[in-house]
Amino acid sequence: MRRMTARPENAHQARLLRLLRDNGSNSRAQLGDLVDLSRSKLAVEVDRLLETGLVVADGLAPSRGGRRSHNIRLAPTLRFLGVDIGATSIDVAVTNAELEVLGHLNQPMDVREGPVAVFEQVLSMAAKLKASGVAEGFDGAGIGVPGPVRFPEGVPVAPPIMPGWDGFPVREALSQELGCPVMVDNDVNLMAMGEQHAGVARSVRDFLCVKIGTGIGCGIVVGGEVYRGTTGSAGDIGHIQVEPGGRACVCGNRGCLEAHFSGAALAGDAEQAAREGRSVQLAARLETAGRLTAEDVSAAAAAGDAVALELIREGGKRLGQVIAGLVSFFNPGLVVIGGGVTGLGHTLLASVRTQVYRQSLPLATNNLPIVLGELGPAAGAIGAARLISDHVFSPA
Amino acid sequence: MRRMTARPENAHQARLLRLLRDNGSNSRAQLGDLVDLSRSKLAVEVDRLLETGLVVADGLAPSRGGRRSHNIRLAPTLRFLGVDIGATSIDVAVTNAELEVLGHLNQPMDVREGPVAVFEQVLSMAAKLKASGVAEGFDGAGIGVPGPVRFPEGVPVAPPIMPGWDGFPVREALSQELGCPVMVDNDVNLMAMGEQHAGVARSVRDFLCVKIGTGIGCGIVVGGEVYRGTTGSAGDIGHIQVEPGGRACVCGNRGCLEAHFSGAALAGDAEQAAREGRSVQLAARLETAGRLTAEDVSAAAAAGDAVALELIREGGKRLGQVIAGLVSFFNPGLVVIGGGVTGLGHTLLASVRTQVYRQSLPLATNNLPIVLGELGPAAGAIGAARLISDHVFSPA
DNA sequence: AGACTTTGTCCTGTGTGTGGAAAAAGAAGA
DNA sequence: TCTTCTTTTTCCACACACAGGACAAAGTCT
């Protein structure tokens, strides 16, 4: 079912749409305070937006001392689809035009099953959400994939953990299937956009967003815009060396950050500790489940298991080393840490902070908050919705 | 002698001025091809620029098949002053509006003598250049200082190697003295701008420019614009750790890049090798000069001294480690290496390349040129001129 | 009820930019 | 040398967009 969503005709209209998205319902008068346009001009543009149907009247605003102003808001029927494809699971969310999540599904799935299987799953999840009544159709979809993307074309490139995805025309194919505009980006970049839109990074212009999942990546935001690098692989910090001659990594080198600390490495370390009998708790868990995950370590740490805590601390130190370097180089205004292992929480955070504040220069670390992401598993999907809304809310 | 240089009235005029700066003399017709303005509009804006005196007529262009077009060029009397204050020397250059160097002076001077003494020297050098006839007055001056700068105010902040400079109102003071607009920036950023304008980085939008001088810094260019970070200390890579528990650094940490490889470290290592009798050549030089510098090592290496070569290779490996990390993170389209030690040249370059290509992922290193800067000691001064010309050629 | 404030609409004047026409200047060919 | 075709430049008329004032509508406060 193809929906022809209207697009703004000019930069002014785009500006207004984004204000309405970010500030919710708003009166014409307030809008006038925010944008620097003459009353007549503003009225004309708003009327045109009303005509297109992107914006609708929404009753009267409370008086500010005189005549009450007419409220307007983005069309309540607009729907964005946010898809976050992780290495081991898929998140799909439906949002309204203000990017509020109306429905959210999560499904375990191995990305290595390939794009066809994955998108079949995604479409079925989207259909399920539609059936639940939160959406009739979609006005745009944002897709996050766990690897580098050639952004303008919306095509994954050389994704190490995603065999079979190289060159798959994600944007093209999904746009066809869903009948709406689609944008594709790295999952880490989307997490950064999510935290910027609705999370801890509101109003910060330059920041880093480190995501620890199966691998490790880093979203880079410069001047409020995501920076993707020359070939779309910016932020790929998982293979920075932290230990010369250290552990062998899947990438062929030794001592990569990811080999020493990541969801996968953490699980491996925990299993080894369990087998060596260093932790009763982990051993018991291994016995029941057959294998261990980062979540198990997180749970054990929460229960006070010394080995689990030490693993997290050690990992945080390694991660902190790398972040310290990035902070010196990039001098961000904020560092956000998120991803599946947010459960490791404050133990990890404390360890990272110690390392960064010790290793980086005062000028860069003064007033540098290092915090956990606020949106949890929804960050990626919200960021995806944000990505496509930026596209839809820009002149055609 | 205060000169009132006119400023463009709008973005179109600014655009035209920059085109003339970057492409030299140009015909009205060619300009029309470049700027997407209607013929009438273009004619009006050009006429206004001619009125202000920023632009002058410059004869007729060769025919392109029909009537010959009128050439215009930036006023030939415009002069910019580019000042590059290094840790141990000062470069001052005078350029015309196209940023071609008309005169250049270099003077050894220790930045630690403080801002008052340094600027006295700078002013005297500027006066000498004036006296030589290349300039009558200046329409703007760009100043590079070897430390972080609060860019909007043009004030150095917490410069580790520049005691006495913290908070000194460089922009304010020099603007007063010179009677023209002044902009201040980190010397490394200016080198990057120099190489971007007239050197190897032309037409590259995202690149890194590593400067190895007394210390080590890195200019970051994102989308053609210098990125300075939240507090102006972006690119300060000298204190990234390369050797856990390594050498003590002046910053208080251990194992910093700068402690293991930089002009200062190299000189120290060479002196030690000379004293230990490991290199006849260096020992002889130490005997004559009383101390060694990075240039001495460079000379010895050129003469085939094994110890000097090994020092450079070892340093290049360390530097390469750090750059490899930055390349993974930033995914630049080019890495430029410059600074005083460019004499170390290809030995250093080879060593850095090996390390980067080995350690970073293929997607980031494919088609990633790592090259030496093209402008040598003039890069900083040209970048400084570029900085101020960008300012002067923007609407007031 | 009256004075004052805020909001929304209407209207007109101004200024800006577009695009066509024609003139100017030169190139190429007969 | 003359004619024809190109390219560049200037001139001009028309359309359009926008700002800002005037006024009406809708509220608040005394």
Side-chain angles (χ1 to χ4, degrees), chain A residues 11 33 54 80 235 281:
Chain A
D33 299 341
L54 278 171
F80 293 122
Q281 194 154 352

Side-chain angles (χ1 to χ4, degrees), chain A residues 42 53 64 71 87 99 113 122 126 139 142 169 177 186 205 231 233 242 259 264 270 274 298 318 330 346 369 377 391:
Chain A
L42 176 64
R64 296 198 297 182
N71 273 336
L99 309 191
E113 296 193 23
V122 166
D139 301 280
E177 288 291 338
N186 185 320
R205 292 184 57 74
T231 56
S233 78
V242 287
S298 166
R318 290 266 158 67
F330 186 73
H346 292 277
H391 175 76

Side-chain angles (χ1 to χ4, degrees), chain B residues 120-329:
Chain B
E120 214 165 282
Q121 178 66 259
V122 166
L123 289 172
S124 111
M125 290 166 82
K128 198 178 295 177
L129 284 165
K130 267 200 221 178
S132 79
V134 294
E136 298 191 346
F138 300 111
D139 301 279
I143 318 289
V145 298
V149 169
R150 216 159 48 226
F151 184 71
E153 296 95 9
V155 174
V157 278
I161 64 166
M162 303 162 63
W165 286 74
D166 192 9
F168 186 87
V170 175
R171 181 177 182 179
E172 183 64 26
L174 276 184
S175 180
Q176 202 83 46
E177 288 290 339
L178 290 166
C180 66
V182 170
M183 291 254 118
V184 185
D185 202 348
N186 185 320
D187 62 340
V188 187
N189 291 341
L190 294 187
M191 176 179 161
M193 293 184 80
E195 291 290 348
Q196 184 188 24
H197 180 82
V200 283
R202 271 178 300 246
S203 80
V204 185
R205 293 184 57 75
D206 305 310
F207 69 94
L208 297 180
C209 189
V210 178
K211 181 175 180 180
I212 304 148
T214 306
I216 290 192
C218 176
I220 308 170
V221 176
V222 174
E225 301 261 307
V226 170
Y227 171 77
R228 299 186 172 86
T230 300
T231 57
S233 79
D236 209 336
I237 63 173
H239 302 280
I240 291 181
Q241 202 178 42
V242 285
E243 184 93 22
R247 292 188 191 168
C249 177
V250 287
C251 75
N253 280 318
R254 302 195 141 271
C256 295
L257 173 59
E258 231 174 74
H260 287 267
F261 180 61
S262 66
L266 202 56
D269 286 349
E271 285 189 15
Q272 191 178 342
R275 269 195 294 270
E276 287 174 3
R278 298 208 309 273
S279 159
V280 183
Q281 194 155 353
L282 288 172
R285 176 71 189 151
L286 178 58
E287 189 76 21
T288 5
R291 62 197 184 93
L292 291 177
T293 67
E295 282 70 43
D296 297 327
V297 181
S298 167
D305 183 86
V307 169
L309 283 170
E310 184 50 30
L311 283 177
I312 296 173
R313 276 202 212 96
E314 183 63 20
K317 190 175 153 195
R318 290 265 158 67
L319 178 61
Q321 263 174 267
V322 170
I323 295 183
L326 301 184
V327 164
S328 294
F329 172 73

Side-chain angles (χ1 to χ4, degrees), chain A residues 210 216-218 235-240 257-258 319 322 326, chain B residues 328-329:
Chain A
V210 178
I216 290 193
C218 175
D236 210 336
I237 62 173
H239 302 279
I240 291 182
L257 173 60
E258 234 173 73
L319 179 61
V322 170
L326 300 184
Chain B
S328 294
F329 172 73

Side-chain angles (χ1 to χ4, degrees), chain A residues 38-76:
Chain A
S38 71
R39 289 194 309 283
S40 0
K41 175 73 175 154
L42 176 64
V44 169
E45 297 298 357
V46 169
D47 285 346
R48 285 195 192 141
L49 285 175
L50 285 166
E51 269 175 43
T52 65
L54 278 171
V55 157
V56 298
D58 189 36
L60 290 171
S63 166
R64 296 198 297 182
R67 174 176 174 175
R68 294 168 66 190
S69 182
H70 291 263
N71 273 336
I72 54 175
R73 57 169 297 189
L74 290 167

